Amino acid sequence: KKAFSKAYRDYKKKQNEAQLKSSSKSEDGSAAVKEILLMRDLSRRKRNSFCRGGEGPIYCLGYSATNVTAYLAARVEAEKPSVEDVYQHGEPLVAGFSKTHMHDVCLIGYDKVSVSTSKFILGCYSCVLEDIFFKDRECKTYNKKLNTLVIDCCNGEVIKAALHHCFSGELPPKFDVTSPDESVARKLAQLDRFAYKFQMKELRQLVYRTGRKLINKRPVLACAVFDELSFRGLGVVDSLKRYALDTMREMPCETLLGGGVQWM
């Protein structure tokens, strides 16, 4: 039997004691994690390097994590974002919607309600308004000295809904179609006319989808949508008006004969 020197035996003894201590606790005093699966995006050599002494794969039973794997698990857990830390880039812009001292133009509906807003925001979403405000495009309803623009196709509430979409990308809660009625149908039709007049493509698409949901949920409201667009649309046939007309043709009993004539 081969005999080892006393110095080598003392070295091995200290090495074994050190391994026993490291297996019970990590360097920071916390208990080591029992099992951490790190099989993806790692080579076999890297996976085995996380095991003590390189013995066995990392997913073997009875695996005891080293300080490195415990540190990695703690770091991944610490870097998970909480709900409060989620950054919303558009929140300051939505808050600016209610700060009237930052506005520089007033939009006036047919009900004489004045709504103040920002020329810059409107110009970003409408090439027509950009030309009117910044490129001196001729517009009979725009007073450059008073910074007022009269919009005769919708009321003040609809103008606020259009501005709300510019600032937030959504429609206000009052335009909810879960419980549709004539008022919501007519406001959606006016909003569609606003988006068509000023060439606001994203708003038109959103209003069209919302209008379809409203008509599908309660077909009789197609009469109110068609009447509003015919009265304030000056004969222009757009997507929402065409959809309402097709619904009235295909479902006369549920629309015209179902009480929709009273709105026309």
Side-chain angles (χ1 to χ4, degrees):
K1 185 177 179 179
K2 185 177 179 180
F4 297 98
S5 64
K6 184 176 181 302
Y8 179 79
R9 291 196 302 269
D10 294 340
Y11 164 75
K12 291 295 294 182
K13 183 178 179 181
K14 292 181 180 179
Q15 188 180 35
N16 293 334
E17 290 177 355
Q19 289 181 356
L20 290 175
K21 290 181 180 180
S22 62
S23 62
S24 60
K25 287 188 177 182
S26 60
E27 291 180 354
D28 57 356
S30 59
V33 182
K34 290 297 182 182
E35 182 177 359
I36 301 177
L37 302 180
L38 295 174
M39 294 182 293
R40 293 184 179 180
D41 300 327
L42 293 176
S43 64
R44 182 176 60 182
R45 178 176 295 180
K46 289 183 178 180
R47 291 199 303 268
N48 292 339
S49 66
F50 284 109
C51 296
R52 183 170 299 102
E55 298 175 0
I58 197 166
Y59 47 86
C60 62
L61 298 177
Y63 164 69
S64 180
T66 63
N67 296 334
V68 177
T69 54
Y71 164 75
L72 291 177
R75 181 173 179 178
V76 171
E77 187 68 24
E79 291 179 354
K80 288 183 178 179
S82 60
V83 178
E84 294 78 7
D85 296 337
V86 176
Y87 174 67
Q88 297 293 340
H89 185 72
E91 285 185 356
L93 193 62
V94 177
F97 177 58
S98 59
K99 298 178 180 179
T100 56
H101 64 278
M102 300 172 63
H103 299 168
D104 53 4
V105 68
C106 288
L107 307 183
I108 304 174
Y110 65 78
D111 56 354
K112 307 301 180 183
V113 175
S114 179
V115 182
S116 63
T117 184
S118 170
K119 294 180 182 179
F120 172 75
I121 297 296
L122 291 175
C124 290
Y125 289 95
S126 170
C127 58
V128 176
L129 293 175
E130 178 186 0
D131 293 343
I132 293 175
F133 294 146
F134 301 103
K135 298 182 181 180
D136 296 329
R137 176 175 176 174
E138 184 179 357
C139 180
K140 296 180 180 179
T141 60
Y142 176 59
N143 190 324
K144 189 174 183 179
K145 294 181 179 180
L146 300 178
N147 285 323
T148 58
L149 176 63
V150 179
I151 303 175
D152 56 358
C153 64
C154 55
N155 57 26
E157 186 177 0
V158 175
I159 294 176
K160 291 180 181 179
L163 298 178
H164 186 276
H165 176 267
C166 292
F167 280 85
S168 65
E170 302 175 350
L171 293 179
K174 292 183 179 180
F175 283 72
D176 188 15
V177 297
T178 54
S179 56
D181 55 13
E182 179 193 2
S183 176
V184 176
R186 291 190 179 276
K187 287 187 293 186
L188 275 175
Q190 293 180 22
L191 190 58
D192 178 75
R193 179 57 48 213
F194 181 95
Y196 179 85
K197 182 175 182 178
F198 297 111
Q199 299 181 17
M200 304 175 72
K201 183 179 178 181
E202 292 77 12
L203 179 59
R204 284 195 65 194
Q205 293 177 351
L206 178 59
V207 172
Y208 176 70
R209 293 194 300 267
T210 307
R212 283 180 62 112
K213 291 179 182 179
L214 179 138
I215 294 175
N216 294 338
K217 191 175 184 64
R218 192 179 174 192
V220 70
L221 294 177
C223 299
V225 172
F226 183 81
D227 177 70
E228 189 68 28
L229 290 175
S230 300
F231 175 66
R232 304 187 189 280
L234 301 178
V236 179
V237 180
D238 63 352
S239 301
L240 184 58
K241 184 178 180 180
R242 186 180 294 109
Y243 186 80
L245 180 60
D246 293 342
T247 303
M248 293 163 57
R249 289 173 176 173
E250 297 173 1
M251 307 172 63
C253 295
E254 290 82 359
T255 55
L256 296 171
L257 300 180
V261 178
Q262 62 179 328
W263 296 328
M264 302 183 69

